Every structure is written in C-alpha cells, then in structure tokens.
Amino acid sequence: MIDAIQALVVVAILASALISGSLLAPYVVRVLTGAPTRLDRLLDPVEKRVYRLIGADPTITMGWKQYFFAALLLNVAQMAIAFAILVGQGVLPLNPQGFPGLSWDLALNTVVSFATNTNLQHYAGEATLSYFSQMTAIQFLQFTSATTGVCVMAAMIRGFKPGSVHMGNFYVDFVRVLTRLLLPLCILAALVFVALGVPQTIGGYVTVKTVEGATQTLLVGPVASLVAIMQIGTNGGGYFGANSAYPFQNPNPATDVLQIYLMLLIPTTLIFVFGEMIGKKKETRPILIGSYALLAIDMVIAFLGSIPVVGPGIETRFGGFFSTFWTVITTAVTTGSVNASLSAINPLGILSAFMGMLIQATPGGKGVGVMYMIMYIVITVFVVGLMTGRTPEYLGAKINARDVKLVMVAFLVHPIAILVPTIAAYATKAVDAIPGFSSLPTSVGFTQVLYEFASSAANNGSDFFGAAANTPFFNFATAAVIFVGRYVPIAILLALAGSMIGRKRVAEQSLRTDGAAFSFVLVGSILLLVVLTFLPFLMLGPLLTYFQGMVNFFG
Amino acid sequence: MSSKASRWKTYRPVIALSILSMLVCGLAYPLLITGVSQAAFPYQANGSQVQLGGRAVGSYYIDNGFTLPIFFHGRNETNPFTASASGVDPDITLSDALSQIPRISNATGIPASSLDALVVAHEHWTLWITGDPYVNVLELNLALIAAYPSSYPGYA
C-alpha cells in the first residue's frame, strides 16, 4: 500500500498530464488538419521544399490502402537504413569505443523493434552500440515510429469523421507531425534533461581514477537527446541496458517524475485530439473515461501488492514506490522503459503491467491507443446493440456485420501473437537457451516468457530478459510478433475507417456513446474481453507467483 | 518505360523521406542538442564529473567504488544480494549510511556524533522534502575529506 503523500504524487502527475494534454490538443489538431500554427513562418518554406525534394504532391488525398502502404513502405525503408548502420557500425564514424557490427539476427530484431515503437532490446546499448548507431539507428527510428503512430491515428479519425471523403495524405501528416510536434517538444525536453544532469556528448567514454585510485570508465554519450524522444514518443528503448534505472539516463527524482509525465503527455493529448478532430468534443468522453478508469484500476492492483524496499533491482533514489508507479505507467502507455529491474516488482505490479499491455488502451501507445479504444467502442456498441435490440451505431454510422468481423479479427491478433509463440518457446525448448532460466520457479519463468511476447505484441518493449534473450529463436520470434502486432491491427482498423467514408450518417443516435453510462459499459466490456481471453495464462504466471507468496521475480 | 516512371513516382517519396528523416532525426537533432548542451551545460553534458585536488575522480551520478574502511561504501560493492538495478547506483539509504558510522569512526577516530551530523546534513529525499531519505556516497565522502583533512592524508 502507499501512503497519502504518495497517492497525492500519483494524482498530481496524472492531473498534470490530463490538463496539459487538453491544452496541447487544439495545437495538435491544427498540425493534423493543416490549419495555421505559430511555427508556420519558420517551417512552411522548409515543408514546401521537403515535398518537392521527396517528390510527394501534398495536395493529393489517400484512401486507406494507399495510406497504409505508404506508412508501411516508409517504415520498412527506414528499417533497412538502420539495419545497414547497425551491421556496418564497425566501419562507420563516431565509434570511439570501436564496437563491431551487430549480428544480423540481432540487428533485424533491433530495427523491427524500434521502427514499430516497441523498443524491445536484446542488447545493452553501452556495450554494443556506437554513438553513430545510438543516433542514426536508434533515435532516428524512435522519432519515425512515434510519428507513424500519430499519422495512422489521424487517418483513422478522418475515416470515422462524419462527412469526410478521404484519409488524408500520409507524407504530409508525417512531415507535419515530425517537424511541428515531436522535434520541437524533444528539443525542449532534451535540454531540460541535460540541465537536470543527463549527459549529452559525442566525445567518447571518460576514464578517471577514483578517489581510492581505481580506474573507472564513465559511459557518457548522446543520452539526453535519446531520453527525450524515448519518453515523448512512448518508445521506451534506453541508451543503457539498465534503461532509466541507469543514473546517466535518469539521475534523480526530478528527471524520474519528468519522464513519467512525458510518457503520459502525448497519449493523453491524442484522446482530446480525437473529439476535436471528429467535430464532437463530447465523443472524447468514453475514450478519456475508459482509458483513465482502466489506468486507475491498474494502479490500484499494483499498489495493493507490497511495495519493494530498496534492495535488489531497486535504485535508492527512486525507492519501491516510484519503481512500481513507473512500471504501471510504462505499460499503460506501452512505452516500455524501466527505472528498476522488473524482477524486483511485486507480482500484482507485474499483473498490472500485463493489464496495460493486454488492453493497449490505458491510454495506450502513441496514436494506436486511441485506435484500440475505437476498436473496443465498436465492439461494445455491437454488444449493447444486441442486448437492447437496437441497431448498433457509432458517430451516426450503422455498424454492419463486416465492421464487427474486422474489429474481432483486430482484437484476436493480440492473443494469437502472444500465446502461440509463448507455447512454442516451451515446446521447442528455446527457453533453455536463456542463461539461468531452468533454475527459476515455474511460475516465475512462465511469467517472464509470457511477458516477453506480451510486450512484443503490444509494442511495449520492457522485458525481464534483456540481452539474455539474444538468441536466434527469441530474436526471430519476437521480431515476427512485433511486426504482426504492429501492422496487422493498424491495417485492419484503417480498413474499418476507410469503409466508414461515404457511409450514411444519421443525425439522431439511438445509442449515445458520449454519456457516463456508455463509458461504464465500455470499461466493463474491455475488462471482460481481456480477462476472459488471458486469465488462464495470467493464472499460471503472475497470479500463481502471487499466491505462492513470492514478493518479486528473482526466483 | 511509363510503368518504370510510375513506379519511381511511387517509391521516390518513400526512399527520399526515409533518408531525409534519418539525417534530421538521427544527425541534425542529436548534434544540435550536443552543441547547445556543451555550450550551456558543460558540467552536466559531460557526466557531472566531480573534482578532488584538481583532478576528476568520477561522476556525481556513478558509484565511485569505495572499499576502504575510512569511507562510506556504496551498495554495489558490499553485498551482491543488495545490488541495484543499474549496478552503479551512487546512493545509499540513510539507514545504510548510519550503519557504517561505527566502522568509519573506528578507522579514523572521528567521533560518531560528528559523522552522524555530517550524514544528516547531506540527506536527500525521494520526494524532495519528504519520502525516503538517502545520501550520495561520493558527495558524502568528499564532504568527509573536506571536514577532516587530517584524518584523510593524501586525499585532500
């Protein structure tokens, strides 16, 4: 349990995210709709030149297929560039530590992981990646994956918007979101992080003689610029293997709170963007109430468990409270950064982390969180329609049989992508290749494998294994799960949105989706769907660990 | 010929934008931050290096690896079962610091009550003014050297 002051800290951080999110939303809407913004004088000429340079006509509009494949192709091309950089880093510049190129299965895993906003890491950055790779492979993909998430969400909203005739232009969305939202925010945040103590240099690791005369290497690098985008972009992949537990990535309580806040900022903003872009601000309500109510439930579950004391896997400057709080938030927005060892978190905290990754909309990752919430709304509208005997409608559009099939398939991608490879990892004995795995209690080991694939499919990226999972099986399996978990639901949900275009809308809705009653039913149906799907597996993992009386996952 | 041209028209934005985005996000952005940081915050940007006797002896944020009985010890050296998540945690809890006072007092002859006061004077908290108290080991040991130079010959 937490005390009153800690509860106050939780409420204050969530409230700050909600307030600043609602204030930032109108600006993001202007960015996405092409309305004037304050940065226009500076960026309009640049933007025009960019379109000319890349040969994209900003005036053409796209259908869902065109939009989706533009996004997919751009992401794949970006993966290819980063892959070449990672494999070839040994001969590339800015490599003062002389790190060799990555093995190709690790490089593949890494670029798929980062281009999809997942940031699962089967390597420790400080011992594996050159400065050049940390910048031109890692930070590069962290920006583009976050941008892509916002873009596909914007396209989906346009499809659902009554009276809209197209999904927008992917290249225009990409350039505008990147230059008008993410880059300015990250420049600001990165400099604040440096001021607070996060290093930013390309001068090479520093060797010193300690007070007692021993030799010590300080692993400095371009860290602050990475921390800014990894949190703002809900990426989560750290500069260091220990992620934000490493002091250079997260030196003090102030940077810790700022990172928690930045993780929440954009996913929360995009909830408000939904209502504004749809043209019905009240329709933000079910998404807002739904995601934050589920987040509150996650939080209660996590804090019902014992809060770890400063000990193995917990950093002194954060303590057990901030470590548990961070774990809930990082999975709720599918960021995946950590400020403690996951093994140190109590089983209920890990159960809560699973809830975040399985629901994916509490409020979920950048852009995709809102998309998943729309998916849940369509499912709920259908179920409520069945129960009340009314035609299911959302935003005035009748929900037909094909729509329901699409959202069900989109929903089912997640359990299939998680559970099948989890079973395969055991069936093929691939788990035995992980050092120390066989000595773990069964429930602890199972939790860790299930977490690996849940985190991959949810494009979260936190994991128990880290570099220990740098085996061909886990590199390929998680890369495949990450790819499917990212692009298949996006394609299906864009197809759904595309089919909304030109559909007849009725002015008077038989079922109101903007009231408290609907939000309540929405939360209930999300919990029911997710719990029914995953309960047997959660039972064998974190819940069994909890009932066995364990307080952490060190085994 | 025309199909080739139309294919180029489709793929050109993809290829050009992926290269351009790499140059902007992967090079221009981090180098801009590096340049501004080195000019505006050189101490933090280079790892918050701490000086003793005119030379850098480590970073404020990285465990300095103290092992001699005359110093406060970090948590990463003493016992592997208490190791931090990062392995370089620079801080120890207040109670950990207080528990080391008898050893330091024995080894240096500094009265325990003085050491007690020194520790309390260097407290930090996980929630600024409240929360769990902790101390930065390097900061504390440098304060110790500065306050009792005669007990630490060869260090000051």
Side-chain angles (χ1 to χ4, degrees):
Chain A
M1 286 297 286
I2 54 172
D3 61 35
I5 293 172
Q6 291 165 335
L8 203 66
V9 170
V10 171
V11 171
I13 292 178
L14 297 187
S16 323
L18 282 166
I19 292 166
S20 47
S22 68
L23 295 176
L24 184 59
Y27 172 77
V28 178
V29 172
R30 284 202 294 279
V31 169
L32 291 170
T33 53
T37 68
R38 279 189 192 168
L39 289 172
D40 288 350
R41 279 235 319 256
L42 181 72
L43 289 175
D44 269 352
V46 180
E47 201 177 305
K48 280 199 188 90
R49 221 169 286 173
V50 168
Y51 297 139
R52 217 172 319 141
L53 183 72
I54 66 172
D57 179 356
T59 60
I60 62 162
T61 55
M62 297 177 174
W64 80 265
K65 276 185 196 160
Q66 240 183 320
Y67 198 100
F68 173 73
F69 282 106
L72 179 65
L73 280 178
L74 183 73
N75 283 186
V76 171
Q78 287 159 336
M79 286 181 206
I81 293 175
F83 181 85
I85 290 168
L86 291 177
V87 170
Q89 74 171 6
V91 295
L92 288 165
L94 281 178
N95 185 7
Q97 264 50 58
F99 292 126
L102 272 60
S103 73
W104 74 272
D105 59 313
L106 179 58
L108 177 78
N109 184 277
T110 304
V111 299
V112 170
S113 172
F114 279 83
T116 54
N117 210 249
T118 307
N119 294 218
L120 186 78
Q121 293 170 290
H122 285 171
Y123 65 90
E126 70 274 25
T128 317
L129 297 186
S130 69
Y131 288 160
F132 195 75
S133 295
Q134 292 274 22
M135 291 171 10
T136 60
I138 301 303
Q139 295 179 39
F140 157 50
L141 292 180
Q142 290 183 324
F143 270 102
T144 59
S145 61
T147 307
T148 303
V150 178
C151 293
V152 290
M153 178 210 69
M156 185 172 181
I157 294 176
R158 291 189 192 108
F160 271 86
K161 185 181 164 70
S164 77
V165 289
H166 61 78
M167 312 275 284
N169 179 316
F170 173 70
Y171 300 114
V172 173
D173 285 344
F174 189 90
V175 171
R176 288 181 65 91
V177 170
L178 185 59
T179 56
R180 282 174 163 77
L181 181 63
L182 292 182
L183 276 168
L185 269 180
C186 286
I187 290 170
L188 202 67
L191 294 175
V192 173
F193 279 123
V194 177
L196 290 173
V198 180
Q200 181 73 22
T201 169
I202 50 170
Y205 293 172
V206 177
T207 305
V208 295
K209 280 258 185 295
T210 63
V211 173
E212 292 188 356
T215 304
Q216 185 181 51
T217 306
L218 303 176
L219 309 174
V220 292
V223 185
S225 56
L226 187 148
V227 173
I229 182 58
M230 74 173 269
Q231 303 297 13
I232 291 174
T234 65
N235 289 283
Y239 191 97
F240 302 96
N243 207 293
S244 284
Y246 201 87
F248 276 159
Q249 199 178 305
N250 193 5
N252 46 52
T255 55
D256 197 65
V257 167
L258 183 58
Q259 289 185 45
I260 294 175
Y261 164 79
L262 287 177
M263 281 191 238
L264 279 165
L265 176 62
I266 304 285
T268 304
T269 304
L270 295 179
I271 295 173
F272 294 100
V273 165
F274 175 80
E276 298 226 5
M277 259 184 100
I278 283 288
K280 294 179 177 174
K281 279 193 186 178
K282 280 186 179 172
E283 294 293 346
T284 274
R285 259 188 225 166
I287 302 183
L288 182 65
I289 296 173
S291 54
Y292 266 77
L294 288 164
L295 177 58
I297 293 171
D298 283 357
M299 205 79 79
V300 169
I301 293 173
F303 286 135
L304 274 180
S306 58
I307 304 299
V309 293
V310 172
I314 300 287
E315 295 285 296
T316 310
R317 63 197 178 284
F318 307 136
F321 161 68
F322 268 124
S323 303
T324 306
F325 183 27
W326 180 298
T327 305
V328 177
I329 298 297
T330 195
T331 43
V333 296
T334 71
T335 300
S337 53
V338 293
N339 71 345
S341 162
L342 282 181
S343 296
I345 304 298
N346 80 71
L348 291 181
I350 294 299
L351 176 69
S352 163
F354 269 108
M355 295 298 286
M357 296 188 294
L358 300 178
I359 295 172
Q360 304 192 86
T362 61
K366 175 154 298 185
V368 290
V370 168
M371 295 176 79
Y372 282 117
M373 201 45 111
I374 298 172
M375 174 187 87
Y376 289 123
I377 288 174
V378 172
I379 294 174
T380 305
V381 161
F382 170 68
V383 172
V384 170
L386 282 183
M387 290 195 298
T388 58
R390 290 182 197 162
T391 316
E393 281 166 7
Y394 182 46
L395 302 171
K398 281 198 173 66
I399 302 300
N400 59 36
R402 180 177 173 271
D403 301 335
V404 177
K405 280 181 203 156
L406 283 177
V407 291
M408 282 323 294
V409 174
F411 174 77
L412 286 172
V413 169
H414 206 46
I416 293 169
I418 294 169
L419 304 180
V420 172
T422 298
I423 295 162
Y426 277 94
T428 61
K429 296 196 165 30
V431 288
D432 298 335
I434 291 177
F437 187 85
S438 54
S439 65
L440 292 174
T442 315
S443 64
V444 170
F446 183 77
T447 300
Q448 301 190 354
V449 176
L450 186 68
Y451 196 103
E452 180 83 5
F453 288 108
S455 177
S456 298
N459 301 133
N460 173 279
S462 57
D463 67 341
F464 282 89
F465 295 135
N470 180 17
T471 70
F473 173 87
F474 277 97
N475 283 344
F476 291 126
T478 53
V481 169
I482 287 167
F483 199 89
V484 168
R486 173 78 165 177
Y487 294 107
V488 175
I490 286 178
I492 295 170
L493 294 175
L494 286 182
L496 173 70
S499 75
M500 291 286 162
I501 287 175
R503 197 180 294 193
K504 210 181 124 222
R505 306 289 176 117
V506 289
E508 199 63 36
Q509 279 181 251
S510 61
L511 168 72
R512 281 186 54 184
T513 49
D514 60 1
F518 181 80
S519 302
F520 185 75
V521 177
L522 176 67
V523 170
S525 64
I526 292 173
L527 281 176
L528 210 62
L529 264 174
V530 171
V531 169
L532 285 181
T533 311
F534 292 101
L535 187 64
F537 289 82
L538 295 174
M539 204 61 221
L540 294 173
L543 277 168
L544 183 56
T545 316
Y546 174 70
F547 288 125
Q548 285 169 329
M550 288 184 239
V551 294
N552 58 43
F553 291 83
F554 286 109
Chain B
M1 190 60 206
S2 70
S3 84
K4 219 183 211 174
S6 82
R7 217 177 300 155
W8 173 237
K9 222 181 145 187
T10 314
Y11 290 116
R12 181 181 156 192
V14 170
I15 295 165
L17 188 54
S18 55
I19 296 169
L20 187 66
S21 54
M22 188 275 270
L23 294 174
V24 172
C25 306
L27 280 176
Y29 159 75
L31 292 180
L32 169 79
I33 302 297
T34 306
V36 175
S37 306
Q38 288 292 334
F41 311 106
Y43 167 74
Q44 295 97 317
N46 293 303
S48 306
Q49 292 172 36
V50 175
Q51 305 261 329
L52 177 65
R55 70 179 177 92
V57 290
S59 164
Y60 182 84
Y61 293 117
I62 302 292
D63 178 19
N64 207 254
F66 289 96
T67 54
L68 297 175
I70 53 171
F71 289 120
F72 287 95
H73 296 174
R75 51 188 291 222
N76 304 291
E77 291 75 26
T78 48
N79 178 350
F81 295 104
T82 65
S84 58
S86 64
V88 294
D89 189 342
D91 307 311
I92 52 176
T93 59
L94 180 67
S95 56
D96 187 347
L98 295 177
S99 76
Q100 299 187 34
I101 286 180
R103 184 197 68 229
I104 299 166
S105 180
N106 262 340
T108 58
I110 302 168
S113 59
S114 310
L115 289 169
D116 209 283
L118 190 82
V119 168
V120 171
H122 288 87
E123 263 182 289
H124 299 275
W125 293 271
T126 52
L127 292 168
W128 293 286
I129 50 164
T130 175
D132 303 322
Y134 64 92
V135 289
N136 181 296
V137 179
L138 180 55
E139 180 187 36
L140 189 58
N141 282 329
L142 293 185
L144 198 54
I145 295 170
Y148 303 96
S150 59
S151 299
Y152 293 91
Y155 288 100

Short mmCIF file of all heavy atoms in Angstrom, two decimals, chain A residues 406-428:
data_model
loop_
_atom_site.label_atom_id
_atom_site.label_comp_id
_atom_site.label_asym_id
_atom_site.label_seq_id
_atom_site.Cartn_x
_atom_site.Cartn_y
_atom_site.Cartn_z
N LEU A 406 -14.29 -7.28 -38.68
CA LEU A 406 -12.97 -6.62 -38.71
C LEU A 406 -12.45 -6.35 -37.30
O LEU A 406 -11.29 -6.66 -37.00
CB LEU A 406 -13.05 -5.31 -39.51
CG LEU A 406 -13.08 -5.42 -41.03
CD1 LEU A 406 -13.22 -4.03 -41.66
CD2 LEU A 406 -11.81 -6.08 -41.56
N VAL A 407 -13.29 -5.79 -36.44
CA VAL A 407 -12.77 -5.46 -35.10
C VAL A 407 -12.48 -6.73 -34.31
O VAL A 407 -11.55 -6.77 -33.51
CB VAL A 407 -13.71 -4.52 -34.29
CG1 VAL A 407 -13.73 -3.14 -34.89
CG2 VAL A 407 -15.10 -5.09 -34.16
N MET A 408 -13.26 -7.78 -34.56
CA MET A 408 -12.96 -9.02 -33.83
C MET A 408 -11.62 -9.61 -34.27
O MET A 408 -10.84 -10.09 -33.45
CB MET A 408 -14.09 -10.05 -34.03
CG MET A 408 -15.33 -9.80 -33.19
SD MET A 408 -15.04 -9.16 -31.51
CE MET A 408 -14.22 -10.55 -30.74
N VAL A 409 -11.36 -9.55 -35.58
CA VAL A 409 -10.06 -10.04 -36.06
C VAL A 409 -8.94 -9.18 -35.49
O VAL A 409 -7.92 -9.70 -35.01
CB VAL A 409 -10.01 -10.05 -37.61
CG1 VAL A 409 -8.61 -10.42 -38.09
CG2 VAL A 409 -11.03 -11.03 -38.16
N ALA A 410 -9.15 -7.85 -35.51
CA ALA A 410 -8.12 -6.95 -34.96
C ALA A 410 -7.87 -7.28 -33.50
O ALA A 410 -6.72 -7.29 -33.04
CB ALA A 410 -8.57 -5.49 -35.10
N PHE A 411 -8.94 -7.60 -32.76
CA PHE A 411 -8.77 -7.94 -31.35
C PHE A 411 -8.02 -9.26 -31.19
O PHE A 411 -7.17 -9.40 -30.32
CB PHE A 411 -10.13 -8.02 -30.65
CG PHE A 411 -10.05 -8.51 -29.23
CD1 PHE A 411 -9.61 -7.66 -28.22
CD2 PHE A 411 -10.34 -9.83 -28.89
CE1 PHE A 411 -9.50 -8.11 -26.92
CE2 PHE A 411 -10.23 -10.28 -27.59
CZ PHE A 411 -9.80 -9.42 -26.60
N LEU A 412 -8.36 -10.24 -32.05
CA LEU A 412 -7.79 -11.58 -31.88
C LEU A 412 -6.32 -11.68 -32.27
O LEU A 412 -5.64 -12.63 -31.89
CB LEU A 412 -8.61 -12.59 -32.69
CG LEU A 412 -9.97 -12.93 -32.07
CD1 LEU A 412 -10.80 -13.77 -33.00
CD2 LEU A 412 -9.79 -13.64 -30.73
N VAL A 413 -5.83 -10.70 -33.04
CA VAL A 413 -4.41 -10.70 -33.41
C VAL A 413 -3.56 -10.78 -32.14
O VAL A 413 -2.58 -11.52 -32.06
CB VAL A 413 -4.04 -9.43 -34.21
CG1 VAL A 413 -2.53 -9.29 -34.36
CG2 VAL A 413 -4.71 -9.45 -35.57
N HIS A 414 -3.99 -10.02 -31.12
CA HIS A 414 -3.17 -9.87 -29.92
C HIS A 414 -2.99 -11.20 -29.17
O HIS A 414 -1.85 -11.62 -28.94
CB HIS A 414 -3.79 -8.78 -29.04
CG HIS A 414 -2.80 -8.10 -28.15
ND1 HIS A 414 -1.58 -7.67 -28.59
CD2 HIS A 414 -2.86 -7.79 -26.83
CE1 HIS A 414 -0.93 -7.12 -27.58
NE2 HIS A 414 -1.68 -7.18 -26.51
N PRO A 415 -4.09 -11.88 -28.80
CA PRO A 415 -3.88 -13.16 -28.10
C PRO A 415 -3.12 -14.19 -28.94
O PRO A 415 -2.27 -14.90 -28.40
CB PRO A 415 -5.31 -13.65 -27.79
CG PRO A 415 -6.24 -12.74 -28.49
CD PRO A 415 -5.51 -11.49 -28.79
N ILE A 416 -3.39 -14.22 -30.23
CA ILE A 416 -2.68 -15.20 -31.07
C ILE A 416 -1.18 -14.89 -31.09
O ILE A 416 -0.34 -15.77 -30.92
CB ILE A 416 -3.27 -15.23 -32.49
CG1 ILE A 416 -4.70 -15.78 -32.46
CG2 ILE A 416 -2.39 -16.05 -33.44
CD1 ILE A 416 -5.47 -15.61 -33.74
N ALA A 417 -0.86 -13.60 -31.27
CA ALA A 417 0.55 -13.21 -31.37
C ALA A 417 1.30 -13.40 -30.05
O ALA A 417 2.52 -13.51 -30.04
CB ALA A 417 0.65 -11.75 -31.82
N ILE A 418 0.57 -13.45 -28.95
CA ILE A 418 1.23 -13.62 -27.65
C ILE A 418 1.29 -15.10 -27.25
O ILE A 418 2.34 -15.62 -26.88
CB ILE A 418 0.48 -12.83 -26.55
CG1 ILE A 418 0.58 -11.34 -26.81
CG2 ILE A 418 1.04 -13.17 -25.17
CD1 ILE A 418 -0.34 -10.51 -25.93
N LEU A 419 0.14 -15.77 -27.36
CA LEU A 419 0.05 -17.10 -26.76
C LEU A 419 0.72 -18.17 -27.60
O LEU A 419 1.39 -19.07 -27.05
CB LEU A 419 -1.42 -17.45 -26.50
CG LEU A 419 -2.16 -16.42 -25.62
CD1 LEU A 419 -3.60 -16.82 -25.40
CD2 LEU A 419 -1.45 -16.24 -24.28
N VAL A 420 0.59 -18.10 -28.92
CA VAL A 420 1.20 -19.14 -29.76
C VAL A 420 2.73 -19.18 -29.59
O VAL A 420 3.29 -20.24 -29.30
CB VAL A 420 0.78 -18.97 -31.24
CG1 VAL A 420 1.56 -19.92 -32.14
CG2 VAL A 420 -0.72 -19.20 -31.39
N PRO A 421 3.43 -18.06 -29.73
CA PRO A 421 4.89 -18.13 -29.53
C PRO A 421 5.31 -18.46 -28.10
O PRO A 421 6.37 -19.07 -27.90
CB PRO A 421 5.39 -16.74 -29.94
CG PRO A 421 4.21 -15.89 -30.05
CD PRO A 421 3.01 -16.74 -30.20
N THR A 422 4.49 -18.06 -27.11
CA THR A 422 4.82 -18.43 -25.72
C THR A 422 4.86 -19.95 -25.60
O THR A 422 5.80 -20.52 -25.01
CB THR A 422 3.77 -17.85 -24.74
OG1 THR A 422 3.79 -16.43 -24.84
CG2 THR A 422 4.05 -18.27 -23.32
N ILE A 423 3.83 -20.60 -26.18
CA ILE A 423 3.80 -22.07 -26.14
C ILE A 423 4.95 -22.64 -26.96
O ILE A 423 5.62 -23.59 -26.54
CB ILE A 423 2.42 -22.57 -26.64
CG1 ILE A 423 1.33 -22.11 -25.66
CG2 ILE A 423 2.41 -24.08 -26.79
CD1 ILE A 423 -0.06 -22.15 -26.23
N ALA A 424 5.21 -22.01 -28.13
CA ALA A 424 6.29 -22.50 -28.99
C ALA A 424 7.64 -22.42 -28.29
O ALA A 424 8.50 -23.30 -28.46
CB ALA A 424 6.31 -21.72 -30.30
N ALA A 425 7.85 -21.37 -27.49
CA ALA A 425 9.13 -21.20 -26.80
C ALA A 425 9.39 -22.37 -25.86
O ALA A 425 10.53 -22.81 -25.69
CB ALA A 425 9.15 -19.88 -26.04
N TYR A 426 8.30 -22.87 -25.24
CA TYR A 426 8.45 -24.04 -24.36
C TYR A 426 8.55 -25.32 -25.18
O TYR A 426 9.39 -26.18 -24.90
CB TYR A 426 7.27 -24.13 -23.39
CG TYR A 426 7.45 -23.24 -22.18
CD1 TYR A 426 6.91 -21.97 -22.15
CD2 TYR A 426 8.18 -23.68 -21.08
CE1 TYR A 426 7.08 -21.14 -21.05
CE2 TYR A 426 8.35 -22.86 -19.96
CZ TYR A 426 7.80 -21.59 -19.96
OH TYR A 426 7.98 -20.79 -18.87
N ALA A 427 7.67 -25.46 -26.19
CA ALA A 427 7.61 -26.70 -26.97
C ALA A 427 8.93 -26.98 -27.67
O ALA A 427 9.37 -28.13 -27.77
CB ALA A 427 6.47 -26.64 -27.97
N THR A 428 9.60 -25.92 -28.14
CA THR A 428 10.86 -26.11 -28.86
C THR A 428 12.06 -26.07 -27.92
O THR A 428 13.20 -26.11 -28.37
CB THR A 428 11.05 -25.01 -29.93
OG1 THR A 428 11.10 -23.75 -29.25
CG2 THR A 428 9.93 -25.00 -30.94
#
